[in-house]
Amino acid sequence: MKKILFVSAVVLLQACASVKTGNQKFLEINSHPEEAEVWINDNYVCDTPCSYDVTGARNEIFRVSIRKEGYRPYHRKLEPKTNKEVEADLIMCLIPPVGLTMLGVDYYTGSMWAYDEIDAVLYKDILGEAPVLPDLQRPLTPEAEAYIQENFSRLKEEAFAVDGAKERIRTLSSLTSVHMERLTGMISEAQTSQELIHFLQAN
């Protein structure tokens, strides 16, 4: 009986999304013509054709812009969908107790979601009237971004604390030159460290 349960557990584990995908996920991005800049969530990431690693992304939406000098820019909001390759396996994963555990693992690793490949066609800007994207520079220093990623949970605690010195918010304020009151509001609204970084980049 134990042997049967063990074999069943192994079969279920092999059937789940996180095992089948190897916990790896990429955005495949192509353009015609090639060698166009790819910006994701206002950050430059690569030139086409390229694969952008989003392993670990859980049900996230990506704002993709592709631009090339002399061509009209391409914009797309890339939304997650259920990974077609593992849809049947996810049904098997509902079998308790191992199945429910692995389904939780699939959610945590982000393996149950996938994204469409982008194959953008860029049209020449003959009249010179293409909308111009802003110069998406990164106003945050690497030190500020690292500080946010390392201290995000503590920053959230300080943002909602009625009393306290709020030393981490004060430190971040000095790193970003953003007033503490405004910075506290951004931290309160941000759900993730990356969202806070985006708020500050758009500031």
Side-chain angles (χ1 to χ4, degrees):
M1 183 63 179
K2 290 183 178 180
K3 185 176 181 180
I4 294 175
L5 290 175
F6 175 77
V7 172
S8 299
V10 170
V11 171
L12 284 172
L13 292 177
Q14 291 299 319
C16 288
S18 58
V19 174
K20 192 150 188 173
T21 63
N23 288 343
Q24 292 184 321
K25 185 163 47 183
F26 297 89
L27 300 183
E28 301 293 340
I29 306 170
N30 300 287
S31 72
H32 306 278
E34 298 182 341
E35 298 183 356
E37 294 181 349
V38 178
W39 295 76
I40 295 180
N41 295 342
D42 296 346
N43 292 302
Y44 167 77
V45 296
C46 59
D47 287 344
T48 59
C50 59
S51 298
Y52 180 63
D53 190 349
V54 292
T55 300
R58 297 194 295 271
N59 203 27
E60 294 182 28
I61 296 174
F62 295 96
R63 291 178 293 105
V64 180
S65 296
I66 301 175
R67 59 177 178 170
K68 185 178 178 70
E69 186 175 356
Y71 291 82
R72 294 179 179 272
Y74 171 95
H75 304 289
R76 180 173 175 182
K77 182 169 70 173
L78 201 58
E79 299 185 356
K81 62 180 184 179
T82 303
N83 192 333
K84 294 293 184 182
E85 184 180 354
V86 296
E87 277 186 340
D89 298 334
L90 289 174
I91 295 174
M92 291 182 62
C93 286
L94 293 174
I95 303 174
V98 176
L100 291 177
T101 301
M102 287 307 297
L103 189 60
V105 172
D106 292 341
Y107 174 85
Y108 180 78
T109 61
S111 298
M112 67 172 60
W113 290 290
Y115 294 88
D116 288 330
E117 178 178 341
I118 291 180
D119 195 14
V121 177
L122 304 180
Y123 297 95
K124 283 190 175 182
D125 178 26
I126 299 175
L127 301 177
E129 296 178 350
V132 178
L133 289 177
D135 189 11
L136 300 174
Q137 300 296 322
R138 297 174 59 141
L140 296 185
T141 63
E143 291 78 11
E145 289 197 26
Y147 189 83
I148 291 171
Q149 292 169 349
E150 294 171 4
N151 296 276
F152 182 71
S153 60
R154 294 294 181 87
L155 288 167
K156 291 286 285 186
E157 291 174 5
E158 289 187 0
F160 288 104
V162 177
D163 299 316
K166 301 192 176 183
E167 292 298 330
R168 287 180 174 79
I169 295 180
R170 181 173 285 104
T171 299
L172 184 57
S173 177
S174 66
L175 288 172
T176 60
S177 299
V178 177
H179 191 275
M180 278 192 62
E181 183 175 340
R182 180 171 175 78
L183 184 57
T184 301
M186 291 182 181
I187 295 170
S188 300
E189 293 181 14
Q191 300 300 313
T192 65
S193 60
Q194 287 302 317
E195 189 171 14
L196 176 57
I197 290 171
H198 174 68
F199 287 166
L200 287 166
Q201 287 174 331
N203 180 56

